[in-house]
Amino acid sequence: MGAPLQAIASAPMGAEIIDGKAIAAGVRARVAEGVRAFKEQTGRVPGLATLLVGDDPASAVYVAGKHRGCIEVGIEPIDRRLGADAPFEAVAGEIAALNADEQVSGVLMQLPVPAHLDGAALTALIEPAKDVDGLTPVNAGLLSQGAKGAGLRPCTPLGVMELLAAADVVLEGAEAVVVGRSNLFGKPMAQLLLAANSTVTSAHSRTRALPEVCARADVLIAAAGRPRLVTSEHVKPGAVVIDVGMNRLTPQEAGNASGLVGDVDFAAVAPLASAITPVPGGVGPMTIAMLLANTLQAAKRLAGVGA
Ligand SMILES: NC(=O)c1ccc[n+]([C@@H]2O[C@H](COP(=O)([O-])OP(=O)(O)OC[C@H]3O[C@@H](n4cnc5c(N)ncnc54)[C@H](OP(=O)(O)O)[C@@H]3O)[C@@H](O)[C@H]2O)c1
């Protein structure tokens, strides 16, 4: 969809709205087709195992959403749950069993884990070839080494790359600013943009003069978890603005029915930007779509049928 960035940037006013729901539906359709082909080739279906420790209702909702996504594309969801007081060794044992299980193509440790557990240490135990969240040190290392085609990439930054591609945004040589430097999103996002030959700045809570730093960006990606942090003073006219933030306010505070608001002040920024993602309906739908894509990719590599 969409015209190349240069053409969008010269549009007289108003941003192209990048439709994450439609683009995610396209990814899911692509994965469903890939799963059918995989089944024909191998006689098996990919399996995605989720491991949920404890009974956090929000985490249970996220896991259910992932399972629904699996069923839609023909991936087998495998549901593993442990009690909130499960010791580290029990969780580690479950991960080891899933690593060894041939039915399982992808293993996902639902975060956050209860406070007595170390989520990063547990994630690191996932077999890198099955690490469909792309968060193990091995996969993070492969990404930072720029190893093309090797490893699995974290789903949300991968989803942003898919949105940028769908909107025909030219990344080579572009100034990209990523606000946020978490291991989950900001760092891998910066690495993916660097691999696409953008000039990348990682901004964070200690960045001086954040508006000026952001206003350099041709591509501005906001992932700070701060409602409406990015306003018109952060945005160069014609910039592409991607809003990763998912901040839950009351519907009245948020001004929309979902109660979700991003890190970008959409009303102030949309007239300036050449293209922008809404919240909801922008980056959000991409995460599960890319998780399904990663699961298929892992299944193909494990089965030796290419990916
Ligand atoms: N759509 C999705 O599927 C999806 C997926 C992942 C995340 N998210 C959303 O994306 C947002 C970020 O997630 P995360 O996991 O990366 O969060 P996080 O771990 O809390 O990291 C937030 C980052 O933003 C920086 N930051 C905080 N306040 C800032 C400020 N005022 N100015 C500049 N930088 C600031 C922090 O800087 P320091 O490092 O200096 O503390 C940190 O690097 C959240 O709203 C989250 O819900 C959405």
Side-chain angles (χ1 to χ4, degrees), residues 156 179-182 184 204-205 210 223-226 244-247 284 287:
T156 307
V179 184
R181 56 172 166 179
S182 66
L184 181 69
H204 45 77
S205 68
L210 185 70
R226 298 284 179 270
V244 184
M246 292 205 325
N247 308 292
T287 300

Side-chain angles (χ1 to χ4, degrees), residues 175-177 212-220 234-236 239-240:
E175 288 274 354
V177 175
E212 284 87 335
V213 171
C214 290
R216 292 205 299 259
D218 301 309
V219 178
L220 176 60
H234 297 72
V235 176
K236 176 167 80 174
V240 174

Side-chain angles (χ1 to χ4, degrees), residues 10 15 52 127 138 185 225-226 234 262 271 288 293:
S10 65
L52 175 60
E127 160 62 41
V138 170
F185 182 81
R226 298 284 179 270
H234 297 72
I288 291 183

